[in-house]
C-alpha cells in the first residue's frame, strides 16, 4: 500500500459547525503533515507530527485542532471556521530512509472544504 | 531562510515537443533535496522527480529530467515528448536534509496544446 487516503473528498460546513478531516497511511511513515492550499497557490504548511507528537505548528488559529491518534492516522478537527478557511486541505506523510538517502513526502488527494 | 523562485507563472508547449520549467533557490545549507511536484486539475500532488544535492548526476525519470546546477542554485525540469496528460501546475520544492519542511515555489501552470 503506497498511498495516503483522505476523507471526505468534499465538505461543506457552516461557521457554527464542528467537523473533522481524516488522513490515513499504511506505509509505516512516522511523520505526517497538514497543508492548506488556495487555488493556484502552493500548499502552506499547517502542522507536522513526528512519531505521533506535534513538532511544528505554523501559528495556525485554534479553530483548527490536529490530532494524531496513532502512527497511521491523522485528524484535523474544525470548529467555528470562517469563509476564508475555504480551501483544499492536503495531508502528506514522509518517507525517510537514511541508508538510501530517500526523503520525500507522499500527498493524499485532499479534502475540498467550503465554509458558508 | 530558504526561498524557491519559479519565474514562469505560465508555460505552453505543443504535444510531442520539449519544454523546460525554471526554478532557482536560495539556501546556505550544503545538504538538501530538491523536488518537482505535479498537480493536475484533480488537485492530487504527485512527485515527478527528486534530486539529492550531494549527487552530481542529474536525475531522470522517463521523459522527465532535471538540470541541477548547484553553484548557480538552479534546478530546471525538462519534459520531453510532451503529452496532454502533462498539463498541470508544476511546483519546485526544497527541503533541508535535516529539516521537516518543504519550501515550495509559486508554481508554473503548464498547458499542452494538441
Amino acid at each position: 500500500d503506497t498511498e495516503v487516503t483522505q476523507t471526505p473528498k468534499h465538505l461543506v460546513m457552516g461557521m457554527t459547525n464542528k467537523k473533522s478531516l481524516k488522513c490515513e497511511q499504511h506505509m509505516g511513515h512516522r511523520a505526517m503533515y497538514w497543508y492548506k492550499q488556495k487555488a493556484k497557490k502552493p500548499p502552506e504548511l499547517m502542522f507536522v507530527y513526528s512519531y505521533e507528537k506535534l513538532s511544528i505548528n505554523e501559528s495556525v488559529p485554534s479553530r483548527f485542532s490536529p490530532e494524531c491518534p496513532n502512527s497511521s492516522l491523522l485528524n484535523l478537527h474544525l470548529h467555528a471556521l470562517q469563509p476564508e478557511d475555504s480551501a483544499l486541505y492536503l495531508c502528506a506523510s514522509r518517507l525517510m530512509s537514511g541508508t538510501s538517502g530517500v526523503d520525500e513526502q507522499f500527498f493524499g488527494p485532499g479534502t475540498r472544504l467550503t465554509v458558508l | 531562510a530558504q526561498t524557491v523562485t519559479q519565474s514562469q507563472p505560465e508555460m505552453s508547449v505543443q504535444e510531442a515537443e520539449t519544454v523546460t520549467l525554471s526554478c532557482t533557490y536560495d539556501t546556505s545549507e550544503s545538504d538538501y533535496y530538491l523536488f518537482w511536484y505535479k498537480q493536475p486539475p484533480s488537485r492530487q500532488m504527485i512527485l515527478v522527480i527528486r534530486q539529492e544535492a550531494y549527487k552530481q548526476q542529474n536525475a531522470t525519470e522517463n521523459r522527465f529530467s532535471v538540470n541541477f546546477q548547484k553553484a548557480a542554485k538552479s534546478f530546471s525540469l525538462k519534459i520531453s515528448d510532451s503529452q496532454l496528460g502533462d498539463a498541470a501546475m508544476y511546483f519546485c520544492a526544497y527541503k533541508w536534509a535535516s529539516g521537516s519542511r518543504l519550501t515550495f515555489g509559486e508554481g508554473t501552470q503548464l498547458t499542452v496544446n494538441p
Side-chain angles (χ1 to χ4, degrees):
Chain A
D1 187 352
T2 58
E3 66 176 297
V4 177
T5 59
Q6 289 188 245
T7 53
K9 289 186 179 179
H10 301 275
L11 179 62
V12 179
M13 61 186 290
M15 290 191 284
T16 59
N17 291 156
K18 286 185 180 181
K19 297 286 185 183
S20 296
L21 309 184
K22 179 181 173 181
C23 172
E24 203 161 2
Q25 59 89 10
H26 295 286
M27 295 178 278
H29 297 175
R30 300 310 297 270
M32 296 183 76
Y33 299 68
W34 280 116
Y35 292 89
K36 174 183 177 180
Q37 187 181 26
K38 292 283 199 178
K40 299 191 182 299
K41 289 293 187 181
E44 300 172 27
L45 183 64
M46 299 175 72
F47 302 104
V48 180
Y49 273 84
S50 182
Y51 294 92
E52 295 99 69
K53 288 188 177 5
L54 184 64
S55 59
I56 296 177
N57 176 344
E58 292 288 86
S59 301
V60 178
S62 60
R63 57 185 184 269
F64 295 92
S65 175
E67 178 196 19
C68 189
N70 59 59
S71 60
S72 300
L73 187 56
L74 186 66
N75 297 319
L76 186 63
H77 303 298
L78 315 172
H79 173 54
L81 294 193
Q82 304 296 310
E84 59 264 30
D85 296 322
S86 298
L88 182 71
Y89 287 83
L90 293 167
C91 174
S93 71
R94 180 177 160 217
L95 167 67
M96 184 174 67
S97 175
T99 53
S100 68
V102 175
D103 189 338
E104 62 185 81
Q105 289 187 24
F106 293 79
F107 285 83
T111 293
R112 187 178 301 277
L113 174 67
T114 303
V115 182
L116 301 176
Chain B
Q2 294 85 9
T3 58
V4 177
T5 302
Q6 293 178 248
S7 59
Q8 307 149 316
E10 297 178 351
M11 291 280 286
S12 63
V13 64
Q14 291 296 126
E15 195 175 2
E17 296 194 345
T18 296
V19 65
T20 298
L21 308 184
S22 301
C23 174
T24 58
Y25 59 95
D26 189 23
T27 183
S28 57
E29 305 294 341
S30 59
D31 195 10
Y32 52 87
Y33 300 90
L34 295 164
F35 306 89
W36 279 100
Y37 281 92
K38 166 186 176 181
Q39 190 175 38
S42 67
R43 306 301 298 273
Q44 173 100 44
M45 291 278 282
I46 302 164
L47 179 66
V48 174
I49 200 163
R50 176 187 67 245
Q51 175 81 43
E52 293 87 344
Y54 64 86
K55 290 187 178 178
Q56 292 188 345
Q57 187 171 7
N58 289 325
T60 61
E61 286 288 341
N62 301 313
R63 297 183 295 107
F64 298 87
S65 61
V66 298
N67 184 2
F68 174 46
Q69 301 289 328
K70 191 171 184 179
K73 295 180 181 173
S74 171
F75 182 61
S76 61
L77 174 69
K78 185 170 85 171
I79 306 174
S80 304
D81 186 25
S82 297
Q83 300 176 0
L84 295 177
D86 295 333
M89 180 73 90
Y90 285 80
F91 291 102
C92 179
Y94 163 99
K95 194 186 90 63
W96 176 41
S98 298
S100 302
R101 304 164 189 271
L102 276 177
T103 301
F104 288 94
E106 287 296 308
T108 297
Q109 182 69 52
L110 178 66
T111 301
V112 181
N113 300 309

